[in-house]
Amino acid sequence: MRTYYCMCLKCQKKDQTNLEEPYPEYGDTFIHFCRQCEEDTDHTLVLTKKLASQLRVQEAEKELKESIINYCKTYGFTCRFLYESVIITTPISSWQYQYHSSKKTLRHESTVKINFETGDYAKTHEKFRNRKMTNEEIIDYIAAHDKWRQKHMK
């Protein structure tokens, strides 16, 4: 249960309300009991400073993801997001890194699936660790690496 600041659309009274799942999004209307009207009426969320801040964060995250997706498309790559990471798939490889941090660690799908130092199975390896790079620089690096690999690994 969460507390929201809502407004009755019939009488325009604003009040704090405890709501259960599924929680409404800003702009949604939902049926709730209005104490002033003394009946179930349509309600909506009131735009508070906290809610406005949450909406800005959501919009910034959406724009960041869209910019990564669009930049990947310029090279013909696909990507998907898992928690705080992006997984970029190219025609010949797969890459993963945390896209929010300024210092990025890029993990790459191993061509050779054995770590020769330990003899253990190695699905991935790190190309670099904690390097200060933008998302665009990472994607450019991936494109350059794949181009080199296609030229030298035939």
Side-chain angles (χ1 to χ4, degrees):
M1 187 170 291
R2 292 185 186 162
T3 303
Y4 290 93
Y5 194 55
C6 303
M7 179 177 71
C8 173
L9 295 177
K10 184 176 179 182
C11 68
Q12 307 299 308
K13 182 173 181 349
K14 297 175 184 175
D15 196 11
Q16 281 192 341
T17 308
N18 291 325
L19 299 174
E20 295 182 5
E21 289 188 64
Y23 301 119
E25 298 286 324
Y26 180 70
D28 291 349
T29 58
F30 53 92
I31 304 294
H32 190 70
F33 184 79
C34 176
R35 288 181 260 184
Q36 185 165 324
C37 299
E38 296 183 345
E39 62 180 315
D40 286 338
T41 60
D42 285 335
H43 281 69
T44 191
L45 298 181
V46 175
L47 186 62
T48 60
K49 287 182 182 180
K50 180 179 178 181
L51 181 55
S53 174
Q54 290 171 345
L55 292 173
R56 281 191 300 276
V57 167
Q58 288 173 2
E59 185 61 28
E61 177 72 10
K62 180 182 171 191
E63 288 174 6
L64 177 60
K65 286 181 176 181
E66 284 177 4
S67 72
I68 293 170
I69 290 168
N70 291 334
Y71 204 72
C72 282
K73 283 181 183 178
T74 64
Y75 288 109
F77 303 160
T78 59
C79 65
R80 68 189 202 291
F81 297 89
L82 181 65
Y83 305 109
E84 296 286 319
S85 296
V86 60
I87 300 166
I88 298 174
T89 306
T90 73
I92 62 171
S93 61
S94 181
W95 306 78
Q96 179 268 329
Y97 69 96
Q98 290 187 345
Y99 62 96
H100 279 286
S101 61
S102 62
K103 293 186 177 180
K104 297 181 174 54
T105 299
L106 182 62
R107 287 181 175 61
H108 175 47
E109 179 182 30
S110 297
T111 306
V112 178
K113 303 291 185 190
I114 297 173
N115 181 334
F116 293 118
E117 293 176 10
T118 64
D120 294 334
Y121 176 74
K123 180 176 169 42
T124 64
H125 64 275
E126 291 180 356
K127 284 307 269 186
F128 49 79
R129 181 184 260 315
N130 293 327
R131 187 180 292 181
K132 191 168 177 85
M133 295 179 83
T134 65
N135 291 305
E136 291 79 10
E137 289 172 328
I138 294 258
I139 296 166
D140 289 341
Y141 175 85
I142 291 169
H145 182 278
D146 275 11
K147 186 176 179 180
W148 178 90
R149 190 166 162 213
Q150 282 180 329
K151 183 178 177 182
H152 291 89
M153 299 298 215
K154 288 187 179 184

